[in-house]
Amino acid sequence: MIRLDEAQLLRSAGALADLLTDTVNGGASVGFLAPLDRAEALAWWEERAADVAAGRLAVWAAHDGDRVLGTVSLAFPAKPNSRHRAELVKLMVHRDARGRGLGRGLLTTAEGAAAEAGVTLLHLDTESGSPAERLYRSAGWTAIGSIPDYAASPDGELRPTTIYYKRVPATAPTR
C-alpha cells in the first residue's frame, strides 16, 4: 500500500474510478447511487487532488500493476480544536480482491498513519448491517449509535448508518 501524493492520485485516478464504480455498482454504500458512471467517478477522484495537496486528505491505494484493488483515506479537520482526530473515509476493496485481508490491511495502514500524525481519535460511519461492520468491530472500533434513514444505498433506498470511533495511541505530536 502506498500513500498517494497529489501527482500519484491524479495518475491513479482512472484506476481509482474503476474501483469506485465496482464498489458502488456492487452494492456498497460509499456515497453514490448506482449505476455510477466512470466519468463521474473519475471527476470525483480528480477533485480530491487539491485536498491531498493541502494535507486535508491522505489517500492510500493497494495496486496490482495498473489496477487499484483497494483504497482508504483519512480526512483531517481544519479546526484548531479538532486536530487530534480524523475521519476514516472511502475504505473500498474491489469485489475480485475481497476475502484476502486487504480491507484489514488498509484499515491497519490508516490507523498507523493516524498515530504517526499525532491523531488520537478516529471516527467513521457505515451502513448499518453492512459487511464493513464486521471488519470495524473485529478491529476494535466501538459503535456509538445508529441514525435511521441517514443515507441512500446505491439502489436509492434510505438506510440506517452506524457511527464508530477508535482511540489510537499517538506516536508523534498532534499535527
Side-chain angles (χ1 to χ4, degrees), residues 91 104 107 111 124 126-146 161-166:
L91 174 57
R104 170 85 54 185
L107 185 58
E111 290 173 0
L124 64 85
T126 193
E127 182 179 320
S128 301
S130 70
E133 281 199 289
R134 285 190 301 275
L135 171 63
Y136 300 131
R137 287 179 193 269
S138 70
W141 287 70
T142 302
I144 59 170
S146 182
T161 294
T162 302
I163 310 298
Y164 285 85
Y165 77 91
K166 185 173 186 178

Side-chain angles (χ1 to χ4, degrees), residues 45-168:
W45 275 111
E46 289 172 341
E47 290 169 4
R48 308 283 77 78
D51 289 334
V52 168
R56 292 184 297 264
L57 183 70
V59 178
W60 289 266
H63 288 85
D64 180 16
D66 290 336
R67 225 172 136 212
V68 173
L69 297 180
T71 188
V72 67
S73 299
L74 289 175
F76 300 102
K79 297 175 188 167
N81 73 340
S82 305
R83 296 206 173 117
H84 65 289
R85 70 176 189 243
E87 182 178 8
L88 187 104
V89 295
K90 301 297 184 268
L91 174 57
M92 297 181 273
V93 175
H94 195 282
R95 286 181 280 182
D96 294 345
R98 292 185 187 155
R100 300 183 212 160
L102 183 55
R104 170 85 54 185
L106 289 161
L107 185 58
T108 299
T109 295
E111 290 173 0
E116 289 174 12
V119 169
T120 58
L121 181 67
L122 293 171
H123 63 96
L124 64 85
D125 64 80
T126 193
E127 182 179 320
S128 301
S130 70
E133 281 199 289
R134 285 190 301 275
L135 171 63
Y136 300 131
R137 287 179 193 269
S138 70
W141 287 70
T142 302
I144 59 170
S146 182
I147 304 170
D149 298 338
Y150 185 78
S153 63
D155 65 5
E157 179 184 344
L158 291 178
R159 302 278 302 137
T161 294
T162 302
I163 310 298
Y164 285 85
Y165 77 91
K166 185 173 186 178
R167 293 189 182 278
V168 293

Side-chain angles (χ1 to χ4, degrees), residues 5-17 20 32 38-53 57 59:
D5 62 23
E6 178 185 20
Q8 290 167 318
L9 184 138
L10 290 170
R11 280 194 303 275
S12 297
L16 288 162
L20 180 56
F32 297 88
R38 186 178 189 277
E40 181 182 353
L42 179 62
W44 186 85
W45 275 111
E46 289 172 341
E47 290 169 4
R48 308 283 77 78
D51 289 334
V52 168
L57 183 70
V59 178

